Amino acid sequence: MCRAGICAALPLLYRQKNARTGSVERGFMKDGFVKAAAATPALRVAEPMYNAAQIEALMEEAKKQNVSLLVFPELCLTGYTCGDLFLQDALLTGAEEALSKLLEKSRGSDMVTVVGMPFTVNAKLYNTAVFFQNGTVLGMVPKSLIPSYSEFYEGRHYSSGEDVDTEVVLCGQTVPFGMKQLFVCREEKRFCIAAEICEDLWGAIPPSSGHALAGATVIVNLSASNEVTGKSVYRRELVKNQSARLFAAYIYADAGEGESTTDMVYSGHNIIAENGTVLAESERFTTGLCVTEIDVQRLWNERRRVTTFAAKPLPEYRTVYFSLKNGLPECALTRTFARTPFVPEDLLARKERCTEITRMQAEGLKKRLLHTSVKSAVVGISGGLDSTLTLLVTCQAFDLAGFDKKRIYAITMPCFGTTDRTYRNALTLAKELGTTVVEIPIADSVSRHFEDIGHSQEIHDLTYENAQARERTQVLMDYAGKAGGLVVGTGDMSELALGWATYNGDHMSMYGVNASVPKTLVRYLTSYFAEETNNQALAAVLRDILDTPVSPELLPPSGDGEIAQKTEDLVGPYELHDFFLYYVLRFGFMPHKIYRLAKAAFSGVYEKETIYYWLETFYKRFFSQQFKRSCLPDGPKVGSVAVSPRGDLRMPSDASAKAWLADLERIKPV
């Protein structure tokens, strides 16, 4: 069934219009998305009113895009390269007059804007970031680290604001002035902003580290970072890594066109990063807006999860509140969400990830083999993806341990649902890998079992299916005893999340190498082996396995001998379930938010009703099937998400899904 057409097979319940008031998709103001922008205006050095006009134009453009936070470069009202003109009253007065113009233009808008300007306090000049909203100055933050090396000589004009904490009068308003300030949204307190200025980030202990520990989730940096060869790469990594270290969003607004080129060139290299990922980045040597959405809820949840991040209110910090009339405004998402969050989109990164993961799987199994003093392994092979990956990893583990791969017993157990295609592929795979192939048909033993329990072989129900799975596990366990080895499990994390496993059947093994590998990643890992091998026959069979529909093959084949039981028709598309699994376990998002992200990621692939139906299915199965995960065999964790009851998912088997399903019910699509 084509992916976009799955909706046609859904129960009518999920396709009928819901007439209840308020049941249309809504409630996204609390999803934590903040539309933010870094802006580079085209300036004129030492001409504040002209610069204010350029800033104003970008403010208007940002308003049209529903931006809630807009950040401009360092000293953008005057230009960074004014040199000794910063000691002239005309320039300093002109900067304040230009700010007054911007304050007036900001009236009626909730957008928080941050601009850079010079300002004198007690006969000392400071390089500052000015926060304002709706005609009101919220506060001023001075630069801490003042560079006076190489091409920089700020110490000639500016003082460090590191220890300053006072109030000043700016544009007729009394405003807080100090480095340790948090600007907090009353309606969404997770939207908490703090500032540092250019060189502050490049120091050994950036002020943003303290800001984040005090509670800031969004760091803004007003910068005038000149270009030299290779600096842009270092700058990008610096911003990205600081956002990762702080579990924060980092908005870096850089000076560009219009600055003096007497000794330096500026490129307007704007960067917006979130928790180690660059969300948006401007092309260098351009002006304008760099816009994206940052997810303060995700950042908050990450900090909550990582208990070593010791965030706590600090008494030396001043909190300044601002309001958004209706909370965070709903904004169309422009940032992208990978359909396969467990699989890197970049081909080189994907290859590196596959190499790393399969090595971890193999190393884990090698340790278990050495620890138990066995030199044999038993793998049940079906010609499907999971057992294929398991056999490939087992062979790699044997190579690492220096064991003879003939001691790997690849057992195929054809029964009622086995097709010729999967049967041939299983045999070819085991042969080409150099393992010992063992064929044990189980149809007769399963039929006798049906007689023993009084079950008709004509009734193709759960008993019919589970009896085959449990018979296969019995064969594998007993053969492992006979061979003096252990059974290597084949089940993957997606199946475990959905409970798509027969309890004490394929659910059980002595070591599960795929326990934290989701189905979408299993596919890429298998493809990786096909690409890397020099054995053309092995590559060919791996590609055919990749082309075979995912199936437990527990029901008889169709009349033309093809697979009749396709897993994704029964439990849903694995690419959807893996997407759900990632955001449920990795970030703990509400169901309605995951639904929104899935719609954005799979736009044009699945209808929204289809996504909703399978998301509801996911939650029902995920909660009801925890008892299977509570007694999983050992297996290596290879990624950031896992379902082991001894590690990442310590969930009660009797937990109720009611709260999650109720949240979904509120946004059922019409």
Side-chain angles (χ1 to χ4, degrees), residues 293-338:
E293 302 81 39
I294 55 180
D295 188 349
V296 295
Q297 182 185 60
R298 173 182 176 177
L299 298 169
W300 191 271
N301 289 2
E302 278 289 84
R303 291 179 178 184
R304 181 179 63 194
R305 183 181 67 88
V306 181
T307 55
T308 52
F309 186 87
K312 61 180 179 180
L314 299 177
E316 63 267 30
Y317 272 79
R318 184 196 299 256
T319 300
V320 179
Y321 289 95
F322 64 92
S323 288
L324 300 177
K325 294 174 184 176
N326 298 306
L328 292 178
E330 182 175 350
C331 55
L333 297 177
T334 59
R335 61 186 284 183
T336 59
F337 301 91

Side-chain angles (χ1 to χ4, degrees), residues 381-385 387-388 421-423 425-426 429 544-545 548 553:
I381 55 170
S382 65
L385 276 173
S387 63
T388 295
R421 180 182 186 181
T422 55
Y423 172 73
N425 281 343
L429 174 71
D544 195 62
I545 290 170
T548 304
E553 291 195 319

